[in-house]
Amino acid sequence: MRFMVFVRSSQPLASLHHDALLRAGVLLDAGDLVPNVCGVSGYWLIDVRTHEEAVERVRRIPVSACVVEIRQVAVV
């Protein structure tokens, strides 16, 4: 299952958890979005077995002050 993970944080996304997702082999794509008044935003596209696994991987982000949204991607 593929999930798009949107993250808003005061730190650049790449420094948060990018390397761990890459080493785990679940990261398909990642990028930083244009900063706005809420801080730095970015996304990860991950491929995991279940929604629960996606949530668990996101919980490992080493920053407590970030906003995360996880949305399943429809594969056509």
Side-chain angles (χ1 to χ4, degrees), residues 5 7 11 13-26 44 46 48-66 68 70:
V5 181
V7 181
Q11 297 179 11
L13 181 65
S15 68
L16 292 179
H17 196 56
H18 178 92
D19 292 338
L21 292 171
L22 195 58
R23 282 192 307 272
V26 299
W44 296 309
I46 60 174
V48 293
R49 286 183 220 103
T50 64
H51 180 265
E52 291 76 20
E53 182 181 351
V55 170
E56 180 56 36
R57 291 193 181 278
V58 169
R59 283 191 177 148
R60 296 178 192 163
I61 297 172
V63 173
S64 58
C66 65
V68 177
I70 302 172

Side-chain angles (χ1 to χ4, degrees), residues 1 7 13-14 16 18 26 33-34 38 40-41 53 66-67 73:
M1 302 173 83
V7 181
L13 181 65
L16 292 179
H18 178 92
V26 299
L33 303 174
V34 177
C38 296
V40 177
S41 295
E53 182 181 351
C66 65
V67 176
V73 176

